[in-house]
Amino acid sequence: KHPDEALAASKEGLKIARQGGNNTLISLALEALAQTETAAGRLDDAWQAWRQNYELHAEHNANHKNQTEDLLEMSRIRSKQGRHADALEHLREAWQQALSHRSSKSDPSHLAYVAGFAVESWRALHAHDPKAAAPVELSAWEVVLEGERGSK
């Protein structure tokens, strides 16, 4: 009901977290700000907050799943904006990161998690632009998803 107040509080929380220098608290504050910006309809600002969080996670070698979640959130925002090609690019990056991480073989459900979002994003892009070229990863995403369905 009061987005300006909520945004001010989220920005103040981020300021305090940055003053304290604790990266975990900074990340949590960035997430809160991004969610508040999204709720207020300020999607470009929300995307920027997720981007900052992604960069913080990358800079401080956070768990790769944190970076994946940041990319998924960035993709969701671009999708809400109708920027389906940009949304798909974030998911392609998340896929490459998931594949390159040593746990990808021991945690196939994480690959399937990313693949599910990526296929959904591809379908949205294709519905919007039927002439869009399929991403090279599409068949791999579908194989992972089929394997996940088969294991249940």
Side-chain angles (χ1 to χ4, degrees):
K1 293 182 178 184
H2 303 283
D4 291 338
E5 292 172 21
L7 287 167
S10 293
K11 288 176 182 178
E12 183 65 19
L14 178 57
K15 179 181 172 188
I16 292 168
R18 283 190 169 138
Q19 288 171 348
N22 181 313
N23 289 325
T24 300
L25 294 178
I26 294 168
S27 177
L28 291 170
L30 281 165
E31 288 178 25
L33 177 59
Q35 291 167 354
T36 305
E37 297 278 17
T38 300
R42 297 174 50 157
L43 298 179
D44 283 328
D45 292 334
W47 185 90
Q48 286 294 335
W50 282 116
R51 185 75 188 168
Q52 287 177 41
N53 206 36
Y54 174 78
E55 290 168 359
L56 177 72
H57 285 143
E59 182 180 330
H60 295 283
N61 297 316
N63 182 313
H64 75 284
K65 291 181 180 180
N66 292 87
Q67 291 176 277
T68 297
E69 287 302 319
D70 297 335
L71 288 166
L72 292 176
E73 292 297 335
M74 291 162 64
S75 175
R76 284 184 185 113
I77 289 168
R78 290 305 189 221
S79 186
K80 284 180 184 178
Q81 294 175 312
R83 295 173 61 177
H84 301 293
D86 292 338
L88 187 59
E89 283 306 309
H90 289 311
L91 293 165
R92 291 179 73 198
E93 184 177 350
W95 174 256
Q96 291 303 321
Q97 286 185 8
L99 278 181
S100 68
H101 198 270
R102 65 185 175 276
S103 70
S104 66
K105 295 203 181 1
S106 63
D107 187 7
S109 64
H110 181 66
L111 285 177
Y113 176 69
V114 175
F117 283 105
V119 168
E120 183 180 313
S121 182
W122 158 244
R123 288 179 182 151
L125 173 59
H126 191 254
H128 180 74
D129 181 4
K131 293 183 181 181
V136 296
E137 302 90 347
L138 183 58
S139 61
W141 296 335
E142 291 170 338
V143 166
V144 166
L145 290 173
E146 189 60 36
E148 184 73 6
R149 284 186 211 108
S151 69
K152 292 188 176 187

